[in-house]
Amino acid sequence: MNCDEAERFLDAYLDGELELSQQLELEQHLSGCAECQAVLQERREFRAFFTAAAPSFKAPPELRERVLAITREEPAPAKPKVRQFPLWRRPWLYAAALLAIGLPIAWMVFHENREHRFARQAVSDYLRALFVDHLCDVVSPDPKVVKSYLMAKLNFSPPVVDLASAGYQMRGGRIDIVQSRRVATLVYRRNKDVINLFMWPATRHRFTGSDQVMSGLRICTWNDVNLNFIAVSTLSDAELDRFTDLFRDAIGNR
Amino acid sequence: MGKELPRFEELFLPHLDAAYNLARWIVEKDQDAQDVVQEAYARAFKSFAGFRGVNPRAWLLTIVRNTAYNWIQKHLREDNLIPFDEKIHAVPASEPSSESSYEKRREQLQEALSRLPPDFREVLVLYEFEGWSYKELASALNVPMGTVMSRLSRARRRLHEAILEVRDLETEDEL
């Protein structure tokens, strides 16, 4: 693979959409090409900016009414009676429909968004740490060292486990701020891939567990031993799953 | 009225924001987007009896995008004489200096987005907001996977370039 071909694949690579053979070829090229690595980094940063700043539009209330009017005023061909609905009944119907449909949705969106917001911020912390080249406040392969450092700065005891035998090397830890709370971040590495594992006590909102992709990064959230966890990584789905399984087993067996 | 109506609303009204967002990204202006969405819902309502799918959101959004493209086609014919004018006007002559740099970058992004062709904006919104995979995009847009990959990649690159252009323009204005 040459640089031109590599450049064509970079976005799909960050999207996690390459076939395995293409991915391996690209990674092989990247490992020997500083220029393409720089382009990759530039793409990553641009995507992080784009996902954070891209506009998202909410339907204005009058549009909702216009759409409701379609279904109220244009009857299905078989039932032409709808048109005879007295006008005064419509506002009531709107209100009822808005309440009946809007409330559960608002509730769901609120909850979904919360998990999403956390994940988004975790991703930006991950990208920022890579960007400024400051992955760890404390660098050590020893879980005890990392744990005692983190405990001194936090009001909870983060579980830190050794997964080196499974191929996930402990690199260290740092403190991050996610949604204005202090969280512990463990940094593991598997070959070239970095895993950031964010954790903090779940007070009111417990994560339900989800997998998503943002800015080409895989994100896995879950709740365990009263802590919320977000794992962010460039690993493939299968490898990140394996990591989270190993981690959960390890803290379960302590 | 039977059960049709509540079911239609139950299935499709929750996706109104997504429909509007997609329309805004493709046709850009609020009123135009509202017209597109209203028409898309009317179409969806008419062909609703034929809806057998499992994914009402994707079904609806496909109708929205088709409606949006029809709208653009029609609009282009009508307004053939004044292409791009609005876009030139959209660049503010002078920025209030008190603005935070984040807000400014956001505005630059908006301006840059409006310089992209609609099909580029479309893949961006469907991929980034709706989380559609390449495969889902390929089937909804009716193009091969390879096209999805290159369109999305080109869209991002063009957007990046457009942002840099917008920034240059604004710097010139300030000088």
Side-chain angles (χ1 to χ4, degrees), chain A residues 9 11-12 15 17 43 47 49-53 55 57-60 62 66-67 70-72 74, chain B residues 5 8-9 17 20-21 24-25 34-35 38 41 45 102 105 127-129 134 149 153 156-157 159:
Chain A
F9 284 132
D11 271 300
D15 290 337
E17 289 270 3
R43 290 286 163 78
R47 296 157 76 106
F49 162 68
F50 177 74
T51 34
F57 303 97
K58 289 239 169 300
E62 72 260 30
R66 280 167 73 177
V67 166
I70 296 170
T71 62
R72 302 287 180 207
E74 284 183 23
Chain B
L5 209 132
F8 179 82
E9 285 175 6
D17 279 338
Y20 176 74
N21 190 40
R24 269 298 288 266
W25 274 66
Q34 289 202 35
D35 291 347
Q38 187 182 13
Y41 268 88
F45 189 55
Y102 180 75
R105 289 180 76 186
Y127 185 82
E128 298 284 357
F129 284 98
Y134 285 18
M149 181 176 97
S153 174
R156 287 180 175 128
R157 227 170 307 167
L159 180 61

Side-chain angles (χ1 to χ4, degrees), chain A residues 7-9 11-18 22 42-43 46-47 49-60 62-72 74-76 79 82 85 97-98 101 105 120 213 215-216, chain B residues 1-2 4-5 8-10 13-14 16-17 20-21 24-25 30-31 33-35 37-39 41-42 45-46 102 105-106 109-110 113 124 127-129 132-135 145 149-150 152-154 156-157 159-160 163 167:
Chain A
E7 204 184 333
R8 243 167 29 89
F9 284 132
D11 271 300
Y13 176 63
L14 292 174
D15 290 337
E17 289 270 3
L18 282 186
Q22 294 170 319
E42 191 188 278
R43 290 286 163 78
F46 174 70
R47 296 157 76 106
F49 162 68
F50 177 74
T51 34
S56 167
F57 303 97
K58 289 239 169 300
E62 72 260 30
L63 177 60
R64 195 169 286 272
E65 279 173 30
R66 280 167 73 177
V67 166
L68 278 170
I70 296 170
T71 62
R72 302 287 180 207
E74 284 183 23
K79 299 277 179 183
V82 190
F85 259 45
L98 280 174
I101 298 166
I105 294 167
R120 190 173 277 234
V213 177
S215 309
Chain B
M1 256 186 303
E4 289 284 287
L5 209 132
F8 179 82
E9 285 175 6
E10 188 185 296
L13 215 53
L16 184 63
D17 279 338
Y20 176 74
N21 190 40
R24 269 298 288 266
W25 274 66
D30 168 53
Q31 280 306 321
Q34 289 202 35
D35 291 347
V37 170
Q38 187 182 13
E39 195 186 327
Y41 268 88
F45 189 55
K46 277 194 189 112
Y102 180 75
R105 289 180 76 186
R106 242 190 138 89
L109 176 63
Q110 288 254 32
L113 276 169
L124 285 172
Y127 185 82
E128 298 284 357
F129 284 98
W132 289 13
S133 66
Y134 285 18
K135 208 169 150 191
M145 292 263 281
M149 181 176 97
S150 56
L152 195 49
S153 174
R154 277 183 13 238
R156 287 180 175 128
R157 227 170 307 167
L159 180 61
H160 199 170
I163 289 176
R167 277 183 202 159

Side-chain angles (χ1 to χ4, degrees), chain A residues 71-91:
Chain A
T71 62
R72 302 287 180 207
E73 284 173 3
E74 284 183 23
K79 299 277 179 183
K81 270 188 188 167
V82 190
R83 214 173 267 281
Q84 294 166 8
F85 259 45
L87 261 173
W88 60 267
R89 281 185 72 170
R90 273 195 272 132

